[in-house]
Amino acid sequence: MQELTKLEILEILNDWNYWNRDFEEYIPRQEYLDRIKLFRKSGEIIVLTGIRRSGKSTLLKLEMQSLAEEKSKKELLYIYFEDPRLSDNLNTKTLDLILEVYRENINPKGEIFLFLDEIQNVSGWEKWVRTAYELKKAKIYVTGSSSKLLSGEIATSIGGRYLNIDVYPLTFREYLIFKGIKCTDLMEYTARKTDINRFFTEYLRYGGFPRIATVEEDLKKEELISYFNTILLKDIMARYGLKNYDKLKTLAEYILSNDTKQNSISSIGKALKYGYNTTGDYIDYLKQVYMLFEIRNYNYSLKKQIASDTKYYTTDTGFVNTLSFSFSGNMGRLFENIVFNELKRRGGEIFFLNANGHECDFIVKSGDKITECFQVCYKLNEYNKKRETEGLLMACRKFGLKTGFIITESYSEAFYEDEIKIELIPITAFLLKIPVS
């Protein structure tokens, strides 16, 4: 492709930046904005990573809007590296030229706050960013849609110079805010219970991507299909030079239709008649673009833990339902996936525990200790209560915990078994952190 002229670059920069226009209005995600503002004080490179369309670009623009309260807009330079007008072969020369054009035409001498959106599209970006940081050319913000962004040599290149924030689709609390509902205590939770339950069903069905929360219902599925296809085509196929889209799509659909179940690379490959290496590579790609997360059966032996079967969870339940799998027939799995996503966002390492004929859905490790155990049961009844309780008690006894939690559709109570407290919590109360017992 022919190299862009300076005039063409200036036109692109003018289209994306706010030097002569107002910022758009966005619903703020306050926890992320507070962390970005805190990290800003450090002077380090700020890196936002997460699945495509999770809201990284919007967070950059809200940070720009915050900075504009005390800085000139012309000190803010935003570059979106998925603009089709930019070269398909983006490299550090492109970055040099963009900065040169910006200095010549917009901000000759002032401070620069540089926002590099979807930076993984630029070959060799990490060394350029490191040099710009070391020479104090700019305060730098970076986003990317691949976990590889900060792995291996790249992490080494800018290691010790960046602070990372993982950006996820909306939590249920954020989803309600997007719907105009603020729920922070038991009184509000009780008063708005009907609306909360209605929006939870919507959240369960369509997931938490920010735009999905705001578009009309008849457009939600089409948007999600577009996200799914774009992630596979652009973030995996194009990036890794793959040729067989149908094969990758089939594997993604297979895992999404069997998420929350114990699996292994061998069993998935055998089911699809794929080779072991191909299956492992495809799964790794899906993890790198944040479509999938995995957890393993906990064991004190790291070697045995690594060799154990795996459970996969999707970063957004909207993908499961969009691929035409039964919604009502999958409520138990969807509940489990929603709880996993919430625990993931709260921090700590997450495992499942399968031992002595019993299973506990989630155990959470903080530091070097197991601190919490959770079962997830959509409909708790006389037929499954013993099984769910025994699995939870097994985990609590193993790790010396005095309390275990069962997340259900609507039950709220507490009882004791062998001096261990079992708390039953409605899933909406759990997601909103509302104490109900």
Side-chain angles (χ1 to χ4, degrees), residues 7 35 65 77 162 213 323 371 400 416 418:
L7 180 58
R35 288 186 67 196
Q65 191 169 351
L77 173 58
Y162 72 89
L323 299 173
T371 56
Y416 285 84
D418 299 333

Side-chain angles (χ1 to χ4, degrees), residues 22 26 55 86 100 125 132 146 278 341 414:
D22 294 333
Y26 295 106
L86 291 172
E100 182 180 331
W125 68 268
S146 171
T278 297
N341 286 339

Side-chain angles (χ1 to χ4, degrees), residues 6 12 41 61 66 68 87 103 121 160 331 365 384 422:
K6 288 187 174 183
I12 293 171
K41 296 176 182 177
K61 292 172 184 178
S66 174
S87 169
R103 275 301 198 193
N121 293 311
M331 296 300 282
K365 184 179 180 183
N384 61 22
I422 307 296

Side-chain angles (χ1 to χ4, degrees), residues 207-386:
F209 284 105
R211 176 165 168 76
I212 302 300
T214 59
V215 299
E216 297 297 324
E217 185 163 358
D218 58 353
L219 296 176
K220 292 180 188 294
K221 187 169 183 177
E222 294 304 317
E223 286 274 348
L224 283 164
I225 290 172
S226 174
Y227 292 3
F228 178 78
N229 290 331
T230 302
I231 290 168
L232 296 192
L233 287 167
K234 185 172 284 190
D235 295 339
I236 297 179
M237 297 290 294
R239 187 172 300 159
Y240 298 104
L242 304 184
K243 304 298 182 184
N244 195 328
Y245 174 76
D246 289 338
K247 198 169 185 177
L248 174 64
K249 183 172 182 283
T250 297
L251 182 137
E253 290 177 342
Y254 178 85
I255 294 180
L256 290 172
S257 65
N258 290 278
D259 65 327
T260 80
K261 298 177 182 179
Q262 289 189 49
N263 255 313
S264 67
I265 293 174
S266 295
S267 64
I268 294 169
K270 188 177 294 184
L272 297 175
K273 298 181 180 179
Y274 291 2
Y276 182 89
N277 290 338
T278 297
T279 304
D281 287 345
Y282 283 8
I283 290 172
D284 191 44
Y285 298 149
L286 291 166
K287 287 160 51 183
Q288 286 174 24
V289 299
Y290 302 96
M291 184 175 284
L292 294 181
F293 295 106
E294 69 175 19
I295 63 173
R296 295 187 178 274
N297 191 16
Y298 183 80
N299 197 295
Y300 288 110
S301 165
L302 183 59
K303 184 177 180 180
K304 290 181 179 179
Q305 188 171 285
I306 292 172
S308 74
D309 278 356
T310 296
K311 286 187 176 184
Y312 295 101
Y313 294 89
T314 178
T315 193
D316 193 83
T317 55
F319 286 136
V320 176
N321 295 309
T322 295
L323 299 173
S324 299
F325 307 128
S326 169
F327 178 62
S328 60
N330 283 330
M331 296 300 282
R333 285 176 43 228
L334 293 171
F335 266 50
E336 189 175 327
N337 209 136
I338 286 281
V339 171
F340 167 81
N341 286 339
E342 179 66 21
L343 292 174
K344 180 79 176 172
R345 287 151 175 72
R346 292 183 185 183
E349 293 182 79
I350 307 170
F351 305 87
F352 68 93
L353 184 64
N354 196 332
N356 304 320
H358 299 292
E359 183 172 334
C360 182
D361 291 326
F362 301 117
I363 60 173
V364 180
K365 184 179 180 183
S366 299
D368 59 354
K369 292 183 178 180
I370 301 297
T371 56
E372 294 178 300
C373 297
F374 295 88
Q375 290 285 52
V376 184
C377 185
Y378 169 51
K379 291 286 188 183
L380 194 67
N381 53 47
E382 59 181 305
Y383 302 107
N384 61 22
K385 187 174 182 179
K386 182 179 179 182

Side-chain angles (χ1 to χ4, degrees), residues 409-424:
E409 181 187 33
S410 57
Y411 288 119
S412 175
E413 67 172 277
F415 59 91
Y416 285 84
E417 292 275 354
D418 299 333
E419 299 184 346
I420 295 175
K421 184 180 181 182
I422 307 296
E423 289 192 29
L424 275 57

Side-chain angles (χ1 to χ4, degrees), residues 88-104:
D88 291 332
N89 300 308
L90 288 164
N91 54 42
T92 57
K93 290 183 180 179
T94 314
L95 292 171
D96 286 333
L97 187 57
I98 288 172
L99 202 58
E100 182 180 331
V101 170
Y102 169 71
R103 275 301 198 193
E104 288 176 354

